[in-house]
Amino acid sequence: MTAKMNQDMDVTVVGAGPVGLVLAAELALSGARVQILERLAEPSEAMKAGAINVPTAEALDRRGLLPAAEQVQREMLERVGSFSRTADDQPPGGGRRAPGSRFTGHFAGMILDADLVDWSDPDLAAHTAVDGGRLVPQRELEELLAEHVARLGIPVCRGVEVTALDDTGDGVLVGTTAGPVRTGWLVGCDGGRSAVRRLAGIDFPGTDPELTGHLAVADIADPSVLADGWVWSTRGAYRYGPQPGRVVTVEFDGPPADRSAPVTLEEVQTSLRRVSGTDVTLTALRGAATRWTDNARQAATYAAGRVLLAGDAAHVHSPFGGQGLNLGVGDAMNLGWKLGAVVAGWAPEGLLATYDAERRPLGAWVLDWTRAQIGVMRGDATSAALREVVADLLSTREGTTYAVKKISGVTQRIDLPGDHPLIGRYVPDLRLRDGSRLADHGHGGGFLLLDRSPDGTFARLAAAWAGRVCSVADGHATPTGVLVRPDGVVAWASDTTDLAAVTGLEAALHRWTGAPTSSPEHEPVEPVGPVEPVG
């Protein structure tokens, strides 16, 4: 049942996909009054992303949603396990693996062999706590996020389309098919053809599409005529599996004539027959099939006055490598606490401007990462030769490990002040002496400060920011201190407790959490967990 639209809100989010749901939840945790407007009357049944990367899974973990994601993965593996072909059955170097192999992903359809990955690589080894909750398709992700949003009391107003907007400087007047809305801020999470972006007059430069792709799950009368895994030809490429009936086709004959038209059984069958060179017969579509292109564009700005963009509204590209959903969730996590701080009135000067500055470079990288995959997937001789070279590189331990690290997101880094190697990276798995993990203390949002100083030096300093920073004590070890932003990015870290470390922490607190709320002398911090030195 759709909620009643509110006429006056701190923030209105347009779009109830994963990005809009995550953003709204983060804003609510920051204390903002937020609502979601969604054009569709019901959640989309279309097939989209099939898994999430490490930063996305860790975002769920920090909000207490990892158990739900792990349950989804168990169910997915049961379904995949009943199918004779698996997602990892055709690595570049050949061979097969049993269902349930460690999730790696693919580059341009070339499955990355989990047996070749150096799982002891420090970047990979530091992020394993969420391994059981990454095989989460977008539809299931939306369901668990919708439940999260409902628990937070956020209204989701469906069947409401944005038709106009006017940024008045102190807010935004939004015209909708359900009447006008007055909101302090408007955030477009409404997809690649974003109405918010168009109405705000934000340019969307990039490269035009050259292919049409289809994704569907179908009943197939004669599946034995289809080959395992990805298959290339001069006509295009296709993929069968890993779930029963799942097919993907790619044809380099330009974009579709009408992207908004429903995808029919005949359209998918015709495409599959062309690229496979078979007379395969599809008897029914299970759920809504999707049509996509390699249109690659990035908004000229992610913020124009009081109108902001996140997810596909800010950037679009082909789905190869599974980066789009994850890139959008990263946008939402980055923007949510910053905009929430602005609404709450404690944001330090320039905080909101860091949203575009931090997320734009990663968005540009993703566009190029997907473009590179298109470059080796075409049916011409040049692309075929390049594909052989890339496949050879991906058959090596170093090449596969490099690609898995990139796809998984564990190497993502923001350029922040400080020399410690953790600064700017997503916080690694930090297990505490009381049996918990640092992520377990972040379910309510806010900053986390891990204090491993012998005398609680860092926690006493952070007490001046009570209500914004949660300090967690954990016995003496290294790193001795870590300050984690609400989006999981390490803002400060130290292996010492000297004056330079204390000064660095104080600077980071001022930079990211604004002016102190009180004097630390009057708000002692109670240690969380044992504080005796690690033996």
Side-chain angles (χ1 to χ4, degrees):
M1 180 180 297
T2 185
K4 182 180 179 180
M5 188 174 67
N6 292 288
Q7 304 301 316
D8 188 9
M9 300 295 287
D10 292 328
V11 184
T12 296
V13 175
V14 182
V19 178
L21 292 170
V22 170
L23 176 61
E26 293 301 294
L27 286 164
L29 289 174
S30 297
R33 295 177 301 124
V34 58
Q35 68 179 347
I36 302 174
L37 308 184
E38 168 55 52
R39 177 179 58 85
L40 299 177
E42 299 291 338
S44 173
E45 294 297 318
M47 289 190 64
K48 295 182 181 178
I52 58 179
N53 70 359
V54 170
T56 297
E58 290 180 340
L60 298 179
D61 185 22
R62 285 193 303 276
R63 299 300 178 256
L65 301 176
L66 182 60
E70 291 173 334
Q71 178 60 31
V72 171
Q73 175 159 314
R74 285 191 292 269
E75 294 171 357
M76 281 295 298
L77 288 175
E78 289 176 2
R79 291 199 291 270
V80 173
S82 66
F83 190 44
S84 61
R85 289 176 276 261
T86 73
D88 291 335
D89 65 359
Q90 220 179 37
R96 298 174 73 92
R97 285 182 298 280
S101 295
R102 198 163 188 173
F103 178 75
T104 55
H106 71 89
F107 183 88
M110 290 173 276
I111 303 300
L112 302 170
D113 188 348
D115 294 336
L116 285 175
V117 178
D118 179 9
W119 296 109
S120 67
D121 180 281
D123 290 324
L124 293 170
H127 298 271
T128 61
V130 298
D131 280 353
R134 290 189 55 205
L135 195 59
V136 180
Q138 182 165 332
R139 187 183 304 172
E140 284 78 0
L141 178 63
E142 287 185 13
E143 290 175 356
L144 71 88
L145 288 173
E147 294 173 359
H148 179 49
V149 161
R151 286 191 295 269
L152 292 171
I154 300 169
V156 179
C157 311
R158 289 192 167 275
V160 179
E161 189 169 355
V162 173
T163 58
L165 65 86
D166 179 18
D167 186 341
T168 61
D170 60 349
V172 184
L173 295 175
V174 185
T176 81
T177 53
V181 173
R182 171 76 182 185
T183 186
W185 300 83
L186 181 70
V187 187
C189 303
D190 51 341
R193 287 171 277 183
S194 168
V196 172
R197 186 188 64 238
R198 173 176 53 82
L199 292 169
I202 298 174
D203 290 339
F204 204 38
T207 52
D208 294 331
E210 57 179 293
L211 65 80
T212 297
H214 294 90
L215 171 61
V217 174
D219 293 329
I220 305 175
D222 45 358
S224 61
V225 302
L226 299 175
D228 291 348
W230 280 92
V231 179
W232 290 267
S233 72
T234 56
R235 298 174 297 276
Y238 78 94
R239 167 73 194 278
Y240 178 44
Q243 297 99 322
R246 181 181 183 273
V247 292
V248 182
T249 67
V250 180
E251 296 182 85
F252 286 90
D253 56 356
D258 183 3
R259 282 209 56 190
S260 62
V263 182
T264 64
L265 175 70
E266 181 181 6
E267 179 181 345
V268 177
Q269 177 175 272
T270 299
S271 178
L272 184 57
R273 284 181 173 180
R274 277 198 297 258
V275 296
S276 68
T278 71
D279 59 355
V280 63
T281 299
L282 309 185
T283 59
L285 293 180
R286 284 186 259 142
T290 58
R291 183 193 300 111
W292 45 272
T293 75
D294 60 326
N295 185 35
R297 299 183 181 279
Q298 188 173 31
T301 180
Y302 287 12
R306 285 180 171 258
V307 179
L308 302 106
L309 305 175
D312 287 353
H315 39 69
V316 295
H317 50 82
S318 80
F320 290 116
Q323 298 294 319
L325 166 64
N326 300 296
L327 183 61
V329 171
D331 291 347
M333 292 298 297
N334 188 291
L335 175 60
W337 71 271
K338 295 175 180 177
L339 184 53
V342 172
V343 171
W346 60 259
E349 184 178 357
L351 178 65
L352 195 56
T354 66
Y355 167 58
D356 186 293
E358 291 181 358
R359 296 302 298 175
R360 175 170 298 279
L362 183 56
W365 173 82
V366 168
L367 262 65
D368 283 343
W369 183 260
T370 59
R371 288 182 180 119
Q373 294 178 77
I374 299 301
V376 301
M377 292 192 73
R378 300 187 187 96
D380 59 86
T382 300
S383 292
L386 182 58
R387 188 163 59 247
E388 289 298 318
V389 173
V390 174
D392 190 37
L393 290 172
L394 295 180
S395 295
T396 67
R397 186 175 181 84
E398 294 79 7
T400 300
T401 301
Y402 167 84
V404 168
K405 286 169 62 173
K406 288 290 189 181
I407 291 172
S408 68
V410 297
T411 59
Q412 292 180 14
R413 186 178 184 277
I414 296 171
D415 186 15
L416 299 182
D419 298 328
H420 195 282
L422 287 181
I423 295 176
R425 295 185 178 275
Y426 285 108
V427 62
D429 301 332
L430 290 173
R431 302 182 185 276
L432 312 183
R433 287 176 58 83
D434 64 0
S436 68
R437 292 180 295 113
L438 185 61
D440 298 331
H441 298 262
H443 294 179
F447 285 76
L448 287 175
L449 174 64
L450 177 62
D451 183 1
R452 286 171 165 169
S453 64
D455 56 357
T457 299
F458 301 139
R460 284 199 303 275
L461 173 61
W465 285 266
R468 299 177 201 161
V469 181
C470 172
S471 294
V472 181
D474 182 51
H476 186 48
T478 54
T480 56
V482 181
L483 178 65
V484 184
R485 303 188 325 189
D487 56 358
V489 173
V490 176
W492 165 88
S494 178
D495 293 333
T496 71
T497 59
D498 58 15
L499 179 60
V502 174
T503 302
L505 173 59
E506 186 173 18
L509 288 167
H510 279 281
R511 177 184 177 88
W512 297 111
T513 68
T517 58
S518 63
S519 171
E521 290 79 10
H522 302 297
E523 299 210 25
V525 173
E526 291 295 328
V528 179
V531 296
E532 69 272 12
V534 175

